[in-house]
mmCIF file of all heavy atoms in Angstrom:
data_model
loop_
_atom_site.group_PDB
_atom_site.id
_atom_site.type_symbol
_atom_site.label_atom_id
_atom_site.label_comp_id
_atom_site.label_asym_id
_atom_site.label_seq_id
_atom_site.Cartn_x
_atom_site.Cartn_y
_atom_site.Cartn_z
ATOM 1 N N LEU G 126 6.181 -26.170 17.559
ATOM 2 C CA LEU G 126 6.694 -27.490 17.997
ATOM 3 C C LEU G 126 8.101 -27.375 18.579
ATOM 4 O O LEU G 126 8.821 -26.440 18.178
ATOM 5 C CB LEU G 126 6.746 -28.425 16.778
ATOM 6 C CG LEU G 126 5.356 -28.686 16.109
ATOM 7 C CD1 LEU G 126 5.522 -29.614 14.888
ATOM 8 C CD2 LEU G 126 4.342 -29.280 17.116
ATOM 9 N N ALA G 127 8.404 -28.267 19.434
ATOM 10 C CA ALA G 127 9.759 -28.323 20.022
ATOM 11 C C ALA G 127 10.744 -28.728 18.927
ATOM 12 O O ALA G 127 10.416 -29.366 17.919
ATOM 13 C CB ALA G 127 9.800 -29.327 21.133
ATOM 14 N N GLY G 128 12.029 -28.362 19.139
ATOM 15 C CA GLY G 128 13.094 -28.767 18.229
ATOM 16 C C GLY G 128 13.366 -27.657 17.210
ATOM 17 O O GLY G 128 12.831 -26.570 17.248
ATOM 18 N N GLY G 129 14.288 -27.993 16.256
ATOM 19 C CA GLY G 129 14.693 -27.050 15.255
ATOM 20 C C GLY G 129 16.081 -26.543 15.519
ATOM 21 O O GLY G 129 16.686 -26.907 16.530
ATOM 22 N N PRO G 130 16.703 -25.828 14.594
ATOM 23 C CA PRO G 130 16.030 -25.295 13.393
ATOM 24 C C PRO G 130 15.961 -26.398 12.331
ATOM 25 O O PRO G 130 16.695 -27.385 12.454
ATOM 26 C CB PRO G 130 16.963 -24.204 12.974
ATOM 27 C CG PRO G 130 18.324 -24.618 13.431
ATOM 28 C CD PRO G 130 18.119 -25.339 14.727
ATOM 29 N N PRO G 131 15.132 -26.259 11.305
ATOM 30 C CA PRO G 131 14.157 -25.166 11.160
ATOM 31 C C PRO G 131 12.998 -25.285 12.149
ATOM 32 O O PRO G 131 12.564 -26.376 12.404
ATOM 33 C CB PRO G 131 13.682 -25.306 9.710
ATOM 34 C CG PRO G 131 13.766 -26.739 9.458
ATOM 35 C CD PRO G 131 14.955 -27.252 10.244
ATOM 36 N N TYR G 132 12.528 -24.128 12.624
ATOM 37 C CA TYR G 132 11.423 -24.184 13.568
ATOM 38 C C TYR G 132 10.125 -24.336 12.843
ATOM 39 O O TYR G 132 9.919 -23.819 11.713
ATOM 40 C CB TYR G 132 11.380 -22.942 14.390
ATOM 41 C CG TYR G 132 12.678 -22.739 15.185
ATOM 42 C CD1 TYR G 132 13.633 -21.823 14.756
ATOM 43 C CD2 TYR G 132 12.989 -23.554 16.251
ATOM 44 C CE1 TYR G 132 14.854 -21.688 15.493
ATOM 45 C CE2 TYR G 132 14.197 -23.408 16.939
ATOM 46 C CZ TYR G 132 15.100 -22.487 16.494
ATOM 47 O OH TYR G 132 16.292 -22.401 17.189
ATOM 48 N N ARG G 133 9.242 -25.229 13.340
ATOM 49 C CA ARG G 133 8.021 -25.598 12.633
ATOM 50 C C ARG G 133 6.791 -25.560 13.445
ATOM 51 O O ARG G 133 6.835 -25.818 14.677
ATOM 52 C CB ARG G 133 8.211 -27.044 12.076
ATOM 53 C CG ARG G 133 9.341 -27.275 11.108
ATOM 54 C CD ARG G 133 9.578 -28.736 10.863
ATOM 55 N NE ARG G 133 9.963 -29.410 12.108
ATOM 56 C CZ ARG G 133 10.119 -30.692 12.257
ATOM 57 N NH1 ARG G 133 9.822 -31.473 11.212
ATOM 58 N NH2 ARG G 133 10.508 -31.255 13.343
ATOM 59 N N PRO G 134 5.680 -25.185 12.882
ATOM 60 C CA PRO G 134 4.407 -25.186 13.587
ATOM 61 C C PRO G 134 3.681 -26.462 13.356
ATOM 62 O O PRO G 134 3.899 -27.189 12.363
ATOM 63 C CB PRO G 134 3.663 -24.009 13.010
ATOM 64 C CG PRO G 134 4.119 -24.021 11.568
ATOM 65 C CD PRO G 134 5.488 -24.481 11.574
ATOM 66 N N GLY G 135 2.700 -26.743 14.242
ATOM 67 C CA GLY G 135 1.814 -27.867 14.042
ATOM 68 C C GLY G 135 0.349 -27.367 14.047
ATOM 69 O O GLY G 135 -0.047 -26.586 14.880
ATOM 70 N N LEU G 136 -0.430 -27.765 12.989
ATOM 71 C CA LEU G 136 -1.809 -27.350 12.886
ATOM 72 C C LEU G 136 -2.755 -28.516 13.378
ATOM 73 O O LEU G 136 -2.597 -29.649 12.921
ATOM 74 C CB LEU G 136 -2.047 -27.024 11.442
ATOM 75 C CG LEU G 136 -3.385 -26.292 11.143
ATOM 76 C CD1 LEU G 136 -3.301 -24.901 11.753
ATOM 77 C CD2 LEU G 136 -3.661 -26.208 9.676
ATOM 78 N N ILE G 137 -3.546 -28.216 14.325
ATOM 79 C CA ILE G 137 -4.437 -29.174 14.926
ATOM 80 C C ILE G 137 -5.898 -28.746 14.727
ATOM 81 O O ILE G 137 -6.249 -27.531 14.996
ATOM 82 C CB ILE G 137 -4.162 -29.330 16.457
ATOM 83 C CG1 ILE G 137 -2.713 -29.805 16.681
ATOM 84 C CG2 ILE G 137 -5.115 -30.240 17.103
ATOM 85 C CD1 ILE G 137 -2.421 -31.177 16.288
ATOM 86 N N LEU G 138 -6.748 -29.698 14.401
ATOM 87 C CA LEU G 138 -8.190 -29.357 14.252
ATOM 88 C C LEU G 138 -8.810 -29.273 15.701
ATOM 89 O O LEU G 138 -8.624 -30.110 16.529
ATOM 90 C CB LEU G 138 -8.902 -30.520 13.545
ATOM 91 C CG LEU G 138 -10.373 -30.364 13.302
ATOM 92 C CD1 LEU G 138 -10.776 -29.197 12.473
ATOM 93 C CD2 LEU G 138 -10.979 -31.662 12.747
ATOM 94 N N ASP G 139 -9.516 -28.108 15.900
ATOM 95 C CA ASP G 139 -10.210 -27.912 17.176
ATOM 96 C C ASP G 139 -11.451 -27.082 16.817
ATOM 97 O O ASP G 139 -11.416 -25.839 16.881
ATOM 98 C CB ASP G 139 -9.315 -27.114 18.148
ATOM 99 C CG ASP G 139 -9.891 -27.040 19.555
ATOM 100 O OD1 ASP G 139 -11.101 -27.168 19.698
ATOM 101 O OD2 ASP G 139 -9.126 -26.855 20.517
ATOM 102 N N ALA G 140 -12.560 -27.787 16.595
ATOM 103 C CA ALA G 140 -13.761 -27.123 16.120
ATOM 104 C C ALA G 140 -14.375 -26.165 17.183
ATOM 105 O O ALA G 140 -15.049 -25.254 16.861
ATOM 106 C CB ALA G 140 -14.799 -28.181 15.740
ATOM 107 N N GLU G 141 -14.061 -26.438 18.515
ATOM 108 C CA GLU G 141 -14.699 -25.652 19.567
ATOM 109 C C GLU G 141 -13.916 -24.393 19.930
ATOM 110 O O GLU G 141 -14.508 -23.344 20.216
ATOM 111 C CB GLU G 141 -14.870 -26.540 20.794
ATOM 112 C CG GLU G 141 -15.865 -27.694 20.587
ATOM 113 C CD GLU G 141 -16.069 -28.515 21.816
ATOM 114 O OE1 GLU G 141 -15.428 -28.145 22.849
ATOM 115 O OE2 GLU G 141 -16.850 -29.441 21.826
ATOM 116 N N GLN G 142 -12.541 -24.471 19.906
ATOM 117 C CA GLN G 142 -11.722 -23.376 20.357
ATOM 118 C C GLN G 142 -10.800 -22.843 19.238
ATOM 119 O O GLN G 142 -9.849 -22.107 19.533
ATOM 120 C CB GLN G 142 -10.926 -23.762 21.622
ATOM 121 C CG GLN G 142 -11.788 -24.219 22.759
ATOM 122 C CD GLN G 142 -10.922 -24.531 23.991
ATOM 123 O OE1 GLN G 142 -10.202 -23.697 24.480
ATOM 124 N NE2 GLN G 142 -11.047 -25.703 24.470
ATOM 125 N N GLY G 143 -10.962 -23.260 18.061
ATOM 126 C CA GLY G 143 -10.108 -22.901 16.947
ATOM 127 C C GLY G 143 -10.374 -21.494 16.464
ATOM 128 O O GLY G 143 -11.342 -20.846 16.809
ATOM 129 N N GLN G 144 -9.490 -21.061 15.534
ATOM 130 C CA GLN G 144 -9.703 -19.809 14.836
ATOM 131 C C GLN G 144 -9.093 -19.899 13.463
ATOM 132 O O GLN G 144 -8.367 -20.897 13.142
ATOM 133 C CB GLN G 144 -9.142 -18.620 15.615
ATOM 134 C CG GLN G 144 -7.629 -18.589 15.633
ATOM 135 C CD GLN G 144 -7.129 -17.329 16.439
ATOM 136 O OE1 GLN G 144 -7.466 -17.085 17.602
ATOM 137 N NE2 GLN G 144 -6.352 -16.489 15.745
ATOM 138 N N ALA G 145 -9.189 -18.882 12.630
ATOM 139 C CA ALA G 145 -8.623 -18.887 11.313
ATOM 140 C C ALA G 145 -7.097 -18.678 11.392
ATOM 141 O O ALA G 145 -6.634 -17.849 12.149
ATOM 142 C CB ALA G 145 -9.219 -17.757 10.444
ATOM 143 N N ILE G 146 -6.377 -19.430 10.615
ATOM 144 C CA ILE G 146 -4.923 -19.411 10.588
ATOM 145 C C ILE G 146 -4.455 -19.049 9.212
ATOM 146 O O ILE G 146 -4.923 -19.586 8.219
ATOM 147 C CB ILE G 146 -4.317 -20.755 11.064
ATOM 148 C CG1 ILE G 146 -4.796 -21.159 12.456
ATOM 149 C CG2 ILE G 146 -2.781 -20.675 10.966
ATOM 150 C CD1 ILE G 146 -4.319 -20.245 13.577
ATOM 151 N N GLU G 147 -3.495 -18.133 9.127
ATOM 152 C CA GLU G 147 -2.941 -17.730 7.823
ATOM 153 C C GLU G 147 -2.231 -18.887 7.114
ATOM 154 O O GLU G 147 -1.382 -19.619 7.731
ATOM 155 C CB GLU G 147 -1.847 -16.625 8.005
ATOM 156 C CG GLU G 147 -1.205 -16.233 6.718
ATOM 157 C CD GLU G 147 0.091 -15.424 6.963
ATOM 158 O OE1 GLU G 147 0.549 -15.380 8.103
ATOM 159 O OE2 GLU G 147 0.631 -14.947 5.969
ATOM 160 N N VAL G 148 -2.527 -19.215 5.844
ATOM 161 C CA VAL G 148 -1.987 -20.263 5.113
ATOM 162 C C VAL G 148 -1.716 -19.877 3.650
ATOM 163 O O VAL G 148 -2.211 -18.833 3.203
ATOM 164 C CB VAL G 148 -2.863 -21.555 5.095
ATOM 165 C CG1 VAL G 148 -3.047 -22.063 6.589
ATOM 166 C CG2 VAL G 148 -4.184 -21.299 4.501
ATOM 167 N N GLU G 149 -0.990 -20.697 2.936
ATOM 168 C CA GLU G 149 -0.849 -20.575 1.510
ATOM 169 C C GLU G 149 -1.235 -21.874 0.857
ATOM 170 O O GLU G 149 -0.950 -22.979 1.431
ATOM 171 C CB GLU G 149 0.549 -20.183 1.100
ATOM 172 C CG GLU G 149 0.967 -18.766 1.561
ATOM 173 C CD GLU G 149 2.434 -18.501 1.173
ATOM 174 O OE1 GLU G 149 3.158 -19.392 0.718
ATOM 175 O OE2 GLU G 149 2.801 -17.358 1.306
ATOM 176 N N VAL G 150 -1.769 -21.796 -0.356
ATOM 177 C CA VAL G 150 -2.010 -23.026 -1.159
ATOM 178 C C VAL G 150 -1.120 -23.019 -2.379
ATOM 179 O O VAL G 150 -1.094 -22.021 -3.096
ATOM 180 C CB VAL G 150 -3.526 -23.099 -1.630
ATOM 181 C CG1 VAL G 150 -3.768 -24.356 -2.504
ATOM 182 C CG2 VAL G 150 -4.423 -23.107 -0.387
ATOM 183 N N TRP G 151 -0.315 -24.090 -2.549
ATOM 184 C CA TRP G 151 0.595 -24.225 -3.646
ATOM 185 C C TRP G 151 0.122 -25.377 -4.546
ATOM 186 O O TRP G 151 -0.330 -26.367 -4.019
ATOM 187 C CB TRP G 151 1.978 -24.508 -3.107
ATOM 188 C CG TRP G 151 2.654 -23.305 -2.532
ATOM 189 C CD1 TRP G 151 2.331 -22.660 -1.306
ATOM 190 C CD2 TRP G 151 3.726 -22.540 -3.048
ATOM 191 N NE1 TRP G 151 3.161 -21.636 -1.098
ATOM 192 C CE2 TRP G 151 4.068 -21.501 -2.181
ATOM 193 C CE3 TRP G 151 4.468 -22.655 -4.252
ATOM 194 C CZ2 TRP G 151 5.043 -20.611 -2.363
ATOM 195 C CZ3 TRP G 151 5.496 -21.714 -4.460
ATOM 196 C CH2 TRP G 151 5.758 -20.703 -3.561
ATOM 197 N N SER G 152 0.311 -25.209 -5.840
ATOM 198 C CA SER G 152 0.002 -26.270 -6.789
ATOM 199 C C SER G 152 1.305 -27.027 -7.091
ATOM 200 O O SER G 152 2.226 -26.430 -7.663
ATOM 201 C CB SER G 152 -0.559 -25.679 -8.057
ATOM 202 O OG SER G 152 -1.850 -25.114 -7.862
ATOM 203 N N VAL G 153 1.326 -28.324 -6.720
ATOM 204 C CA VAL G 153 2.500 -29.178 -6.873
ATOM 205 C C VAL G 153 2.255 -30.122 -8.053
ATOM 206 O O VAL G 153 1.215 -30.759 -8.065
ATOM 207 C CB VAL G 153 2.820 -29.960 -5.595
ATOM 208 C CG1 VAL G 153 4.046 -30.852 -5.785
ATOM 209 C CG2 VAL G 153 2.968 -29.011 -4.418
ATOM 210 N N PRO G 154 3.154 -30.221 -9.029
ATOM 211 C CA PRO G 154 3.002 -31.176 -10.073
ATOM 212 C C PRO G 154 2.756 -32.553 -9.530
ATOM 213 O O PRO G 154 3.516 -33.069 -8.638
ATOM 214 C CB PRO G 154 4.317 -31.098 -10.874
ATOM 215 C CG PRO G 154 4.794 -29.733 -10.627
ATOM 216 C CD PRO G 154 4.417 -29.378 -9.168
ATOM 217 N N SER G 155 1.849 -33.308 -10.100
ATOM 218 C CA SER G 155 1.480 -34.640 -9.567
ATOM 219 C C SER G 155 2.679 -35.545 -9.629
ATOM 220 O O SER G 155 2.863 -36.427 -8.726
ATOM 221 C CB SER G 155 0.339 -35.239 -10.429
ATOM 222 O OG SER G 155 -0.771 -34.422 -10.342
ATOM 223 N N ALA G 156 3.546 -35.384 -10.614
ATOM 224 C CA ALA G 156 4.691 -36.298 -10.753
ATOM 225 C C ALA G 156 5.668 -36.127 -9.588
ATOM 226 O O ALA G 156 6.522 -37.012 -9.342
ATOM 227 C CB ALA G 156 5.440 -36.028 -12.070
ATOM 228 N N HIS G 157 5.614 -34.970 -8.934
ATOM 229 C CA HIS G 157 6.607 -34.685 -7.830
ATOM 230 C C HIS G 157 5.909 -34.723 -6.446
ATOM 231 O O HIS G 157 6.673 -34.556 -5.462
ATOM 232 C CB HIS G 157 7.272 -33.322 -8.062
ATOM 233 C CG HIS G 157 8.048 -33.194 -9.336
ATOM 234 N ND1 HIS G 157 9.252 -33.802 -9.546
ATOM 235 C CD2 HIS G 157 7.704 -32.585 -10.482
ATOM 236 C CE1 HIS G 157 9.646 -33.607 -10.773
ATOM 237 N NE2 HIS G 157 8.774 -32.850 -11.373
ATOM 238 N N PHE G 158 4.627 -34.949 -6.380
ATOM 239 C CA PHE G 158 3.943 -34.862 -5.145
ATOM 240 C C PHE G 158 4.409 -35.950 -4.186
ATOM 241 O O PHE G 158 4.689 -35.730 -3.025
ATOM 242 C CB PHE G 158 2.436 -35.078 -5.334
ATOM 243 C CG PHE G 158 1.571 -35.027 -4.084
ATOM 244 C CD1 PHE G 158 1.402 -33.830 -3.419
ATOM 245 C CD2 PHE G 158 1.035 -36.208 -3.544
ATOM 246 C CE1 PHE G 158 0.652 -33.770 -2.270
ATOM 247 C CE2 PHE G 158 0.303 -36.160 -2.352
ATOM 248 C CZ PHE G 158 0.118 -34.965 -1.725
ATOM 249 N N GLY G 159 4.639 -37.141 -4.668
ATOM 250 C CA GLY G 159 5.094 -38.292 -3.835
ATOM 251 C C GLY G 159 6.404 -38.031 -3.184
ATOM 252 O O GLY G 159 6.615 -38.219 -1.993
ATOM 253 N N SER G 160 7.399 -37.476 -3.971
ATOM 254 C CA SER G 160 8.717 -37.263 -3.467
ATOM 255 C C SER G 160 8.706 -36.110 -2.430
ATOM 256 O O SER G 160 9.479 -36.069 -1.482
ATOM 257 C CB SER G 160 9.729 -37.010 -4.586
ATOM 258 O OG SER G 160 9.287 -35.968 -5.384
ATOM 259 N N PHE G 161 7.821 -35.122 -2.678
ATOM 260 C CA PHE G 161 7.663 -33.942 -1.789
ATOM 261 C C PHE G 161 7.158 -34.461 -0.447
ATOM 262 O O PHE G 161 7.670 -34.164 0.642
ATOM 263 C CB PHE G 161 6.805 -32.925 -2.383
ATOM 264 C CG PHE G 161 6.448 -31.773 -1.421
ATOM 265 C CD1 PHE G 161 7.486 -30.940 -0.980
ATOM 266 C CD2 PHE G 161 5.198 -31.607 -0.915
ATOM 267 C CE1 PHE G 161 7.175 -29.876 -0.130
ATOM 268 C CE2 PHE G 161 4.921 -30.591 -0.017
ATOM 269 C CZ PHE G 161 5.913 -29.719 0.333
ATOM 270 N N VAL G 162 6.120 -35.240 -0.462
ATOM 271 C CA VAL G 162 5.476 -35.758 0.717
ATOM 272 C C VAL G 162 6.437 -36.730 1.495
ATOM 273 O O VAL G 162 6.457 -36.753 2.759
ATOM 274 C CB VAL G 162 4.159 -36.517 0.414
ATOM 275 C CG1 VAL G 162 3.604 -37.229 1.647
ATOM 276 C CG2 VAL G 162 3.118 -35.507 -0.104
#
């Protein structure tokens, strides 16, 4: 994406021309999810 720092990517759904993208899954305490989002 344009802008930064911090430089950031944007993930877009594209069922026809997409591919697998490296990601991580983190477990966020429910009590803190709202403030994180």
Side-chain angles (χ1 to χ4, degrees):
L126 301 178
Y132 301 105
R133 299 170 295 172
L136 194 67
I137 300 288
L138 179 65
D139 188 338
E141 296 182 359
Q142 301 183 57
Q144 70 176 59
I146 302 295
E147 176 198 9
V148 298
E149 291 178 352
V150 178
W151 287 71
S152 295
V153 180
S155 301
H157 299 288
F158 180 73
S160 56
F161 174 68
V162 171

